[in-house]
Amino acid sequence: MHLHDVWFVLIAVLWTGYFFLEGFDFGIGVLTKLLARDEKERRVLINTIGPVWDGNEVWLLSAGGATFAAFPDWYATLFSGFYLPLLIILVCLIVRGVAFEYRAKRDDARWKRNWEHAIFYTSLLPAFLWGVAFANIVRGVPINADKDFTGTLLDLLSPYALLGGAVTLTLFTFHGAVFAALKTLGDVRARARAMAGVLGLVAAAFALAFLVWTQAHSGNARSLVALVVAVAALAVALVCNRFGREGWSFALSGVTIAAVVAMLFLALFPDVMPSTTNPAWSLTVSNASSSPYTLKIMTWIAGIMTPLVLGYQAWTYWVFRKRIGTQHIPDPITH
């Protein structure tokens, strides 16, 4: 196996980690409007991800940085062609982070309500747009012989791409609901489990249609295996949620996300960005990669630093592993 193949796999792993972790972050953000009934319950949901949301976003920086260093032509074509949707995602992530930090800075109902609106919309939009982006990457976009994107914004909004957005939005929201059931107590926990059951069925319908479409268009034997794993894991996650096994349900919803990402990358390989203009102009792991020397240095650095990062993040989740409920939220001070 060549180093550019290794880095294709590593980038797939980084995106898997990002969607697994940030997926329930986005889901919690969406659930602040769908699940929480009052200000205390919104605080409970936000507090479930309070210690970890910013660490989860490091996976996005790692995935983007690895793509830039290992496959500069892929990075250049992707970020120039998908400039507007990626800019919207970036702005949403910035505003979302500010909203988490500033929401509690003033004891004012309107102030808090505005920041809660921001948390909801800046969670919903990226959850949808990531699916649109990856659906376009897998299906292909107009690219010329100079590796330049030649399409328009409308080219990125095909029915297949919009279905991909619906998949990530519903799947992440289901993932968030299962996480909420795992991390909360009392009535919030019970309603999160009930909502997860509904969301899981909706996500299953969208995901099955999208994955079958992907398999029919560009799939292979390996991607078919990933498709079966994704569908089976989601089905078992719903069963576990039904019987109150939140830990298993959360783990299996994570397996579902990982299998979906794996299927997309398996269907994509050896391309990294197919050209719908002319297949000969597609970006591949070989013609879009950095030099072997660059990849070799990156491999050594990743081998040393990755275990440290994983260890630190695992320790963080262990420290903040306990459940929380409305009883842990103090009543507002009245004057």
Side-chain angles (χ1 to χ4, degrees):
M1 179 180 287
H2 297 286
L3 278 179
H4 53 64
D5 297 329
V6 172
W7 274 96
F8 180 85
V9 173
L10 291 176
I11 288 171
V13 170
L14 290 171
W15 280 111
T16 300
Y18 174 66
F19 287 141
F20 178 92
L21 297 171
E22 191 82 314
F24 67 75
D25 274 4
F26 289 144
I28 291 293
V30 173
L31 290 172
T32 57
K33 292 292 185 184
L34 301 183
L35 178 64
R37 292 176 174 173
D38 54 32
E39 199 269 340
K40 265 195 174 184
E41 291 189 354
R42 284 188 289 275
R43 284 188 64 184
V44 168
L45 291 178
I46 293 171
N47 286 355
T48 62
I49 61 172
V52 297
W53 69 265
D54 47 356
N56 294 344
E57 290 188 354
V58 172
W59 287 79
L60 173 61
L61 299 177
S62 300
T67 304
F68 171 76
F71 299 99
D73 288 335
W74 183 15
Y75 182 92
T77 304
L78 175 64
F79 277 77
S80 59
F82 294 19
Y83 181 81
L84 182 58
L86 292 177
L87 177 63
I88 293 173
I89 290 173
L90 178 61
V91 171
C92 283
L93 294 179
I94 293 171
V95 174
R96 186 168 173 266
V98 173
F100 283 136
E101 298 296 334
Y102 274 70
R103 178 189 169 278
K105 295 297 183 183
R106 286 174 55 181
D107 190 16
D108 177 80
R110 183 178 180 183
W111 171 272
K112 292 180 179 179
R113 186 168 59 250
N114 288 338
W115 286 119
E116 288 164 358
H117 288 324
I119 291 171
F120 172 75
Y121 288 110
T122 57
S123 298
L124 185 148
L125 277 174
F128 177 77
L129 289 175
W130 278 128
V132 172
F134 270 83
N136 279 295
I137 291 173
V138 174
R139 191 166 180 82
V141 292
I143 300 173
N144 63 19
D146 296 322
K147 302 178 182 178
D148 295 327
F149 175 81
T150 59
T152 65
L153 179 62
L154 291 179
D155 292 319
L156 304 179
L157 301 178
S158 66
Y160 175 78
L162 295 176
L163 179 59
V167 170
T168 51
L169 175 58
T170 54
L171 193 56
F172 290 169
T173 309
F174 166 68
H175 195 42
V178 175
F179 182 76
L182 178 64
K183 289 288 292 179
T184 58
L185 296 165
D187 189 45
V188 176
R189 177 187 179 187
R191 283 187 284 112
R193 280 177 51 197
M195 184 166 288
V198 176
L199 290 168
L201 292 175
V202 176
F206 282 130
L208 184 60
F210 177 73
L211 296 180
V212 169
W213 193 345
T214 302
Q215 180 67 23
H217 178 264
S218 53
N220 50 55
R222 292 170 297 182
S223 63
L224 180 59
V225 173
L227 186 158
V228 173
V229 171
V231 173
L234 183 53
V236 180
L238 283 167
V239 173
C240 291
N241 177 74
R242 175 68 177 81
F243 289 99
R245 302 298 298 270
E246 290 106 341
W248 280 103
S249 183
F250 176 70
L252 287 164
S253 67
V255 170
T256 303
I257 292 173
V260 169
V261 177
M263 182 188 175
L264 295 180
F265 275 90
L266 288 169
L268 182 62
F269 185 82
D271 292 337
V272 294
M273 210 165 178
S275 172
T276 56
T277 307
N278 185 340
W281 297 340
S282 297
L283 302 183
T284 68
V285 291
S286 57
N287 69 19
S289 68
S290 295
S291 68
Y293 183 70
T294 300
L295 297 177
K296 184 177 180 179
I297 293 175
M298 291 174 58
T299 304
W300 278 105
I301 295 174
I304 296 171
M305 298 303 299
T306 301
L308 298 177
V309 174
L310 291 175
Y312 174 77
Q313 194 159 27
W315 175 78
T316 302
Y317 276 91
W318 176 256
V319 170
F320 295 101
R321 66 189 182 277
K322 292 184 178 180
R323 296 178 182 267
I324 60 173
T326 53
Q327 64 268 34
H328 299 122
I329 305 297
D331 293 321
I333 300 175
T334 56
H335 300 282

